[in-house]
Amino acid sequence: MKIYFCCTDFKAEPWVAALRAALPQAEIEVWAPGAGPADYAVVWAPPQAFLDEQPQIKALFNLGAGVDALTQLRLPAQTKLVRLDDAGMSVQMAEYVCHALIRHFREFDAYAADVAQGKWSYRKPRLREDFPVGIMGLGVLGQRVARAVQAFEFPLRGWSRSPKELPGVRCYAGEEQLAEFLAETKVLVCLLPLTGQTQGILNRETLAQLQPGGYLINVARGAHLVEEDLIPLLDGGHLAGATLDVFRQEPLPAGHPFWRHPKITITPHTSARTLRDESVAQIAGKILALERGEPIGGVVDHHQGY
Ligand code: NAP
Ligand code: GLV
């Protein structure tokens, strides 16, 4: 069995070593143009040339949960596209979202600013019932975040493509219930996959439907947000702030207004990192299952794009 590693932005050596340790029976190499056919590949944003050379490949294992960099490419027709299914990401996402939510709700930035000026001052406690949290995307990550937010007793809403029933979450589904979901939300968390349906979904019209004083936490993909729509809503006061982990262009270009806007907190696409041990164990387990002819989870629906 031959497996290629073809991942931009990842240091190949430790990954190849970990894959070889997990699958000693396999021949595992870093792909180079003209390297010949393989059975499987571990990929992240591979070049089109790689896919064009591998029409026979049985499955592509994406080193992330989001497959949007792959679905933009021409994929071999019969190849399974498999995304990371949690692999240690959901707890990181829960930490990140709860941190951003609580930092905003408890006004920790304002306290830090006071302390920096030597001020010992109190703010009026806020009511958590005034801060309903709405999670767009109730998949692997969205549901884990929902459980974590619930621990802090915020009112919780969720929105997905297909209807769901989740304990403690008021669930909405489909475009027809989006307006109701937004009107019931003050702190909006985006955990959608980037597809033709979700691109640009965070825009002037949708963000204006959040409750006054709304707050945006985008941890999904930069292209979910129409970036130029955000600042007028912040400056006009309808939105109180935003925490953004992902951007249309990454790294965020020098001079982009998000770097310095006082109501925007940015992080460099780090809310849920791909963890090597967990990812290799998951991918190796799935390759062995496929070799035994067994079904696996995390296979992307080409039609839905996630
Ligand atoms: P997932 O399990 O596939 O869940 C996706 C959720 O989005 C599902 O609930 C799905 O609805 C919903 N959805 C999809 N299209 C929709 C639409 N048109 N309208 C309404 N809901 C829709 O994905 P995941 O593992 O939770 O990951 C979610 C995303 O997080 C990834 O795609 C990636 O972009 C992002 N991510 C970011 C980072 C980071 O570091 N910033 C790390 C990991 C992942 P159904 O339940 O009805 O299918
Ligand atoms: C990271 O952004 C991922 O999709 O896993």
Side-chain angles (χ1 to χ4, degrees), residues 83 138-141 159-162 164 193 219 245 271-272 306:
R83 52 57 158 270
L138 293 172
V140 173
L141 303 183
W159 184 69
S160 52
R161 195 172 53 80
S162 54
K164 303 233 177 310
V219 278
D245 184 48
S271 52
Y306 71 97

Side-chain angles (χ1 to χ4, degrees), residues 132-136 155-158 181 184-190:
V133 176
I135 303 175
M136 299 179 106
L156 196 50
R157 291 82 175 85
F181 162 79
E184 291 258 333
T185 294
K186 185 175 273 183
V187 179
L188 182 68
V189 179
C190 181

Side-chain angles (χ1 to χ4, degrees), residues 40-54:
Y40 300 101
V42 176
V43 297
W44 180 256
Q48 182 65 55
F50 166 74
L51 299 171
D52 291 345
E53 275 189 17
Q54 303 290 328

Side-chain angles (χ1 to χ4, degrees), residues 237-250:
H238 182 68
L239 295 186
T243 291
L244 307 175
D245 184 48
V246 286
F247 306 91
R248 288 207 166 230
Q249 191 181 336
E250 294 179 4

Side-chain angles (χ1 to χ4, degrees), residues 44 63-66 89 220-221 269 272 274:
W44 180 256
L63 270 198
M89 280 190 278
R221 285 291 183 265
H269 198 146
T274 295

